[in-house]
Amino acid sequence: NRIPGLNPRRHTPFPGSFRQLRGRVLDLLREGPATVGRLSTAAGRPPGRVAEALVMLQKDGLVRASPGALSGNLRGRAALCE
């Protein structure tokens, strides 16, 4: 009993969203390992938000991140999984 024109999946708009940040972090890590400070600066987002993205990306098996990176330490390092 679906209502025509109503999408049952509601995604947040991409610009400025957490999905966009996750994508940006992955793009940056494709260039090589990076610190949270570098990722934060390049993505234009606070270190804490970058750390949240890293936590989720690591849970998804896409990146490996140091404990410091996962807590938002600017010197914490992350890289794509091989």
Side-chain angles (χ1 to χ4, degrees):
N1 296 339
R2 190 166 172 256
I3 300 171
L6 183 65
N7 185 351
R9 292 185 184 185
R10 297 195 141 228
H11 293 291
T12 57
F14 194 73
S17 71
F18 191 65
R19 286 188 316 137
Q20 181 187 35
L21 176 59
R22 285 172 45 112
R24 181 70 177 129
V25 167
L26 287 173
D27 286 343
L28 291 166
L29 292 176
R30 283 185 187 102
E31 298 171 10
T35 64
V36 169
R38 180 184 178 288
L39 295 171
S40 176
T41 299
R45 302 295 284 277
R49 207 61 183 140
V50 170
E52 291 174 22
L54 290 172
V55 167
M56 297 307 295
L57 291 167
Q58 184 162 281
K59 282 183 183 177
D60 291 343
L62 299 172
V63 303
R64 63 182 191 282
S66 70
L70 298 175
S71 68
N73 182 310
L74 294 177
R75 288 183 267 160
R77 296 189 62 80
L80 289 179
C81 288
E82 295 179 13

